[in-house]
Short mmCIF file of all heavy atoms in Angstrom, two decimals:
data_model
loop_
_atom_site.label_atom_id
_atom_site.label_comp_id
_atom_site.label_asym_id
_atom_site.label_seq_id
_atom_site.Cartn_x
_atom_site.Cartn_y
_atom_site.Cartn_z
N ASN A 330 -15.74 -4.54 16.98
CA ASN A 330 -15.25 -3.83 15.80
C ASN A 330 -14.13 -4.63 15.15
O ASN A 330 -13.24 -5.13 15.84
CB ASN A 330 -14.74 -2.44 16.16
CG ASN A 330 -15.84 -1.54 16.66
OD1 ASN A 330 -17.00 -1.74 16.34
ND2 ASN A 330 -15.48 -0.56 17.45
N ASN A 331 -14.18 -4.75 13.83
CA ASN A 331 -13.16 -5.47 13.08
C ASN A 331 -12.51 -4.51 12.08
O ASN A 331 -13.21 -3.90 11.26
CB ASN A 331 -13.77 -6.65 12.32
CG ASN A 331 -14.43 -7.63 13.26
OD1 ASN A 331 -13.78 -8.23 14.09
ND2 ASN A 331 -15.74 -7.76 13.15
N TYR A 332 -11.20 -4.39 12.16
CA TYR A 332 -10.45 -3.50 11.28
C TYR A 332 -9.51 -4.36 10.43
O TYR A 332 -8.70 -5.12 10.98
CB TYR A 332 -9.60 -2.51 12.09
CG TYR A 332 -10.40 -1.74 13.12
CD1 TYR A 332 -10.48 -2.18 14.43
CD2 TYR A 332 -11.03 -0.57 12.77
CE1 TYR A 332 -11.20 -1.47 15.38
CE2 TYR A 332 -11.76 0.16 13.71
CZ TYR A 332 -11.83 -0.30 15.01
OH TYR A 332 -12.53 0.41 15.94
N TYR A 333 -9.62 -4.24 9.12
CA TYR A 333 -8.80 -5.04 8.21
C TYR A 333 -8.05 -4.13 7.24
O TYR A 333 -8.59 -3.14 6.75
CB TYR A 333 -9.67 -5.98 7.37
CG TYR A 333 -10.35 -7.06 8.15
CD1 TYR A 333 -11.66 -6.92 8.58
CD2 TYR A 333 -9.68 -8.24 8.45
CE1 TYR A 333 -12.29 -7.92 9.30
CE2 TYR A 333 -10.30 -9.25 9.17
CZ TYR A 333 -11.61 -9.08 9.58
OH TYR A 333 -12.22 -10.07 10.30
N PHE A 334 -6.82 -4.51 6.95
CA PHE A 334 -6.05 -3.90 5.88
C PHE A 334 -5.68 -5.00 4.90
O PHE A 334 -5.21 -6.06 5.30
CB PHE A 334 -4.74 -3.29 6.39
CG PHE A 334 -4.88 -1.91 6.94
CD1 PHE A 334 -4.82 -1.69 8.30
CD2 PHE A 334 -5.08 -0.83 6.09
CE1 PHE A 334 -4.95 -0.42 8.82
CE2 PHE A 334 -5.21 0.44 6.60
CZ PHE A 334 -5.14 0.65 7.96
N SER A 335 -5.88 -4.75 3.61
CA SER A 335 -5.37 -5.62 2.56
C SER A 335 -4.20 -4.88 1.93
O SER A 335 -4.38 -3.79 1.37
CB SER A 335 -6.45 -5.92 1.52
OG SER A 335 -7.49 -6.64 2.10
N LEU A 336 -3.03 -5.46 2.04
CA LEU A 336 -1.81 -4.81 1.58
C LEU A 336 -1.29 -5.52 0.34
O LEU A 336 -1.16 -6.75 0.33
CB LEU A 336 -0.75 -4.85 2.67
CG LEU A 336 -1.19 -4.36 4.05
CD1 LEU A 336 -0.08 -4.59 5.07
CD2 LEU A 336 -1.60 -2.90 3.99
N ASP A 337 -1.00 -4.77 -0.70
CA ASP A 337 -0.52 -5.30 -1.97
C ASP A 337 0.92 -4.83 -2.17
O ASP A 337 1.18 -3.62 -2.24
CB ASP A 337 -1.43 -4.80 -3.09
CG ASP A 337 -1.00 -5.22 -4.48
OD1 ASP A 337 -0.13 -6.11 -4.60
OD2 ASP A 337 -1.53 -4.66 -5.46
N PHE A 338 1.85 -5.78 -2.26
CA PHE A 338 3.27 -5.50 -2.45
C PHE A 338 3.71 -5.92 -3.85
O PHE A 338 3.21 -6.92 -4.37
CB PHE A 338 4.13 -6.29 -1.45
CG PHE A 338 3.86 -5.96 -0.01
CD1 PHE A 338 2.85 -6.60 0.68
CD2 PHE A 338 4.64 -5.04 0.66
CE1 PHE A 338 2.61 -6.32 2.02
CE2 PHE A 338 4.41 -4.76 2.00
CZ PHE A 338 3.39 -5.39 2.68
N GLU A 339 4.67 -5.19 -4.43
CA GLU A 339 5.24 -5.64 -5.70
C GLU A 339 5.99 -6.93 -5.51
O GLU A 339 6.00 -7.79 -6.37
CB GLU A 339 6.17 -4.57 -6.29
CG GLU A 339 5.48 -3.72 -7.31
CD GLU A 339 6.39 -2.73 -7.96
OE1 GLU A 339 7.46 -3.12 -8.46
OE2 GLU A 339 6.01 -1.56 -7.97
N LYS A 340 6.66 -7.05 -4.38
CA LYS A 340 7.33 -8.30 -4.01
C LYS A 340 7.28 -8.42 -2.50
O LYS A 340 7.15 -7.44 -1.78
CB LYS A 340 8.77 -8.33 -4.52
CG LYS A 340 9.64 -7.24 -3.94
CD LYS A 340 11.05 -7.32 -4.47
CE LYS A 340 11.88 -6.23 -3.80
NZ LYS A 340 13.26 -6.29 -4.11
N GLN A 341 7.37 -9.64 -2.02
CA GLN A 341 7.32 -9.88 -0.60
C GLN A 341 8.50 -9.23 0.11
O GLN A 341 9.64 -9.39 -0.32
CB GLN A 341 7.34 -11.39 -0.33
CG GLN A 341 7.07 -11.79 1.09
CD GLN A 341 5.65 -11.51 1.51
OE1 GLN A 341 5.39 -10.51 2.15
NE2 GLN A 341 4.75 -12.40 1.16
N ASP A 342 8.24 -8.45 1.14
CA ASP A 342 9.30 -7.84 1.94
C ASP A 342 9.56 -8.75 3.12
O ASP A 342 8.75 -8.84 4.05
CB ASP A 342 8.88 -6.43 2.39
CG ASP A 342 10.01 -5.69 3.04
OD1 ASP A 342 10.40 -6.08 4.17
OD2 ASP A 342 10.52 -4.74 2.44
N ILE A 343 10.69 -9.44 3.09
CA ILE A 343 10.99 -10.47 4.10
C ILE A 343 11.19 -9.87 5.49
O ILE A 343 10.76 -10.45 6.49
CB ILE A 343 12.23 -11.30 3.67
CG1 ILE A 343 11.95 -11.99 2.32
CG2 ILE A 343 12.60 -12.32 4.72
CD1 ILE A 343 10.71 -12.88 2.32
N ALA A 344 11.81 -8.69 5.58
CA ALA A 344 12.01 -8.06 6.89
C ALA A 344 10.67 -7.73 7.54
O ALA A 344 10.47 -7.96 8.74
CB ALA A 344 12.86 -6.80 6.75
N LEU A 345 9.74 -7.21 6.74
CA LEU A 345 8.40 -6.89 7.25
C LEU A 345 7.66 -8.17 7.65
O LEU A 345 7.02 -8.23 8.70
CB LEU A 345 7.61 -6.12 6.19
CG LEU A 345 6.27 -5.59 6.64
CD1 LEU A 345 6.46 -4.18 7.20
CD2 LEU A 345 5.30 -5.57 5.50
N LEU A 346 7.75 -9.18 6.82
CA LEU A 346 7.11 -10.46 7.12
C LEU A 346 7.67 -11.07 8.41
O LEU A 346 6.91 -11.59 9.23
CB LEU A 346 7.30 -11.43 5.94
CG LEU A 346 6.61 -12.77 6.04
CD1 LEU A 346 5.11 -12.61 6.12
CD2 LEU A 346 7.00 -13.65 4.86
N ALA A 347 8.96 -10.95 8.62
CA ALA A 347 9.59 -11.47 9.84
C ALA A 347 9.05 -10.76 11.08
O ALA A 347 8.78 -11.40 12.10
CB ALA A 347 11.11 -11.34 9.75
N VAL A 348 8.87 -9.45 11.01
CA VAL A 348 8.32 -8.70 12.15
C VAL A 348 6.91 -9.17 12.44
O VAL A 348 6.54 -9.38 13.60
CB VAL A 348 8.35 -7.18 11.87
CG1 VAL A 348 7.57 -6.41 12.92
CG2 VAL A 348 9.78 -6.67 11.81
N LEU A 349 6.09 -9.34 11.41
CA LEU A 349 4.71 -9.78 11.61
C LEU A 349 4.64 -11.20 12.18
O LEU A 349 3.80 -11.48 13.05
CB LEU A 349 3.94 -9.71 10.29
CG LEU A 349 3.61 -8.31 9.79
CD1 LEU A 349 3.13 -8.35 8.35
CD2 LEU A 349 2.57 -7.65 10.68
N MET A 350 5.50 -12.09 11.72
CA MET A 350 5.47 -13.49 12.19
C MET A 350 6.04 -13.61 13.60
O MET A 350 5.60 -14.46 14.37
CB MET A 350 6.25 -14.39 11.23
CG MET A 350 5.60 -14.54 9.87
SD MET A 350 4.01 -15.37 9.99
CE MET A 350 2.92 -14.11 9.40
N LYS A 351 6.99 -12.77 13.95
CA LYS A 351 7.62 -12.83 15.28
C LYS A 351 6.68 -12.34 16.37
O LYS A 351 6.68 -12.86 17.48
CB LYS A 351 8.90 -11.99 15.25
CG LYS A 351 9.66 -11.98 16.56
CD LYS A 351 10.98 -11.23 16.41
CE LYS A 351 10.72 -9.76 16.62
NZ LYS A 351 11.94 -8.96 16.68
N ASN A 352 5.86 -11.35 16.06
CA ASN A 352 4.98 -10.73 17.06
C ASN A 352 3.56 -11.28 16.91
O ASN A 352 2.70 -10.65 16.30
CB ASN A 352 4.99 -9.21 16.89
CG ASN A 352 6.35 -8.63 17.17
OD1 ASN A 352 6.81 -8.62 18.29
ND2 ASN A 352 7.02 -8.16 16.12
N LYS A 353 3.31 -12.43 17.48
CA LYS A 353 2.00 -13.10 17.35
C LYS A 353 0.86 -12.29 17.95
O LYS A 353 -0.27 -12.35 17.48
CB LYS A 353 2.04 -14.48 18.01
CG LYS A 353 3.08 -15.41 17.45
CD LYS A 353 2.72 -15.87 16.08
CE LYS A 353 3.75 -16.88 15.60
NZ LYS A 353 3.78 -17.03 14.19
N ALA A 354 1.14 -11.50 19.00
CA ALA A 354 0.10 -10.68 19.63
C ALA A 354 -0.22 -9.43 18.81
O ALA A 354 -1.20 -8.75 19.08
CB ALA A 354 0.53 -10.27 21.03
N GLY A 355 0.60 -9.14 17.81
CA GLY A 355 0.35 -8.01 16.94
C GLY A 355 1.38 -6.90 17.12
O GLY A 355 2.05 -6.83 18.14
N VAL A 356 1.48 -6.06 16.10
CA VAL A 356 2.41 -4.93 16.12
C VAL A 356 1.65 -3.65 15.79
O VAL A 356 0.64 -3.67 15.09
CB VAL A 356 3.57 -5.11 15.12
CG1 VAL A 356 4.47 -6.26 15.51
CG2 VAL A 356 3.06 -5.30 13.71
N ASP A 357 2.14 -2.56 16.34
CA ASP A 357 1.58 -1.25 16.02
C ASP A 357 2.27 -0.73 14.77
O ASP A 357 3.44 -1.04 14.52
CB ASP A 357 1.79 -0.27 17.17
CG ASP A 357 1.05 -0.69 18.43
OD1 ASP A 357 0.17 -1.58 18.34
OD2 ASP A 357 1.34 -0.13 19.49
N GLY A 358 1.54 0.06 14.01
CA GLY A 358 2.15 0.57 12.78
C GLY A 358 1.36 1.71 12.18
O GLY A 358 0.37 2.19 12.74
N GLN A 359 1.85 2.12 11.03
CA GLN A 359 1.24 3.24 10.31
C GLN A 359 1.41 3.02 8.81
O GLN A 359 2.47 2.60 8.35
CB GLN A 359 1.92 4.54 10.72
CG GLN A 359 1.33 5.77 10.07
CD GLN A 359 2.05 7.02 10.52
OE1 GLN A 359 3.17 7.28 10.11
NE2 GLN A 359 1.40 7.80 11.38
N ILE A 360 0.35 3.33 8.08
CA ILE A 360 0.42 3.35 6.62
C ILE A 360 0.30 4.81 6.20
O ILE A 360 -0.61 5.51 6.65
CB ILE A 360 -0.70 2.49 6.00
CG1 ILE A 360 -0.49 1.03 6.37
CG2 ILE A 360 -0.74 2.68 4.48
CD1 ILE A 360 -1.58 0.10 5.93
N THR A 361 1.23 5.25 5.38
CA THR A 361 1.27 6.65 4.96
C THR A 361 1.18 6.73 3.44
O THR A 361 1.89 6.01 2.74
CB THR A 361 2.59 7.31 5.42
OG1 THR A 361 2.78 7.07 6.80
CG2 THR A 361 2.58 8.80 5.16
N MET A 362 0.31 7.60 2.95
CA MET A 362 0.20 7.85 1.52
C MET A 362 0.64 9.29 1.27
O MET A 362 0.11 10.22 1.87
CB MET A 362 -1.24 7.69 1.04
CG MET A 362 -1.39 7.88 -0.46
SD MET A 362 -3.11 8.03 -0.97
CE MET A 362 -3.39 9.75 -0.62
N THR A 363 1.65 9.46 0.41
CA THR A 363 2.22 10.78 0.14
C THR A 363 2.17 11.06 -1.36
O THR A 363 2.53 10.20 -2.16
CB THR A 363 3.69 10.83 0.62
OG1 THR A 363 3.75 10.39 1.97
CG2 THR A 363 4.25 12.22 0.51
N ASP A 364 1.73 12.26 -1.71
CA ASP A 364 1.76 12.73 -3.10
C ASP A 364 3.13 13.36 -3.33
O ASP A 364 3.44 14.39 -2.73
CB ASP A 364 0.64 13.75 -3.33
CG ASP A 364 0.61 14.30 -4.75
OD1 ASP A 364 1.40 13.85 -5.60
OD2 ASP A 364 -0.21 15.19 -5.00
N THR A 365 3.94 12.75 -4.19
CA THR A 365 5.28 13.26 -4.42
C THR A 365 5.27 14.62 -5.12
O THR A 365 6.27 15.34 -5.08
CB THR A 365 6.13 12.27 -5.22
OG1 THR A 365 5.49 11.99 -6.47
CG2 THR A 365 6.32 10.97 -4.45
N PHE A 366 4.15 14.97 -5.76
CA PHE A 366 4.04 16.29 -6.40
C PHE A 366 3.61 17.35 -5.40
O PHE A 366 3.61 18.53 -5.69
CB PHE A 366 3.03 16.25 -7.55
CG PHE A 366 3.45 15.44 -8.74
CD1 PHE A 366 2.60 15.30 -9.82
CD2 PHE A 366 4.68 14.80 -8.80
CE1 PHE A 366 2.97 14.56 -10.92
CE2 PHE A 366 5.06 14.06 -9.90
CZ PHE A 366 4.20 13.94 -10.97
N GLY A 367 3.17 16.94 -4.20
CA GLY A 367 2.78 17.87 -3.16
C GLY A 367 1.42 18.52 -3.35
O GLY A 367 1.09 19.49 -2.67
#
Side-chain angles (χ1 to χ4, degrees):
N330 294 336
N331 300 296
Y332 307 94
Y333 293 96
F334 276 107
S335 296
L336 310 174
D337 177 13
F338 298 86
E339 263 184 53
K340 62 180 182 174
Q341 189 68 261
D342 188 290
I343 300 303
L345 187 91
L346 184 62
V348 170
L349 289 167
M350 292 295 118
K351 181 175 85 172
N352 296 291
K353 301 289 184 201
V356 294
D357 296 346
Q359 182 180 74
I360 295 174
T361 309
M362 183 192 82
T363 308
D364 179 4
T365 58
F366 291 178

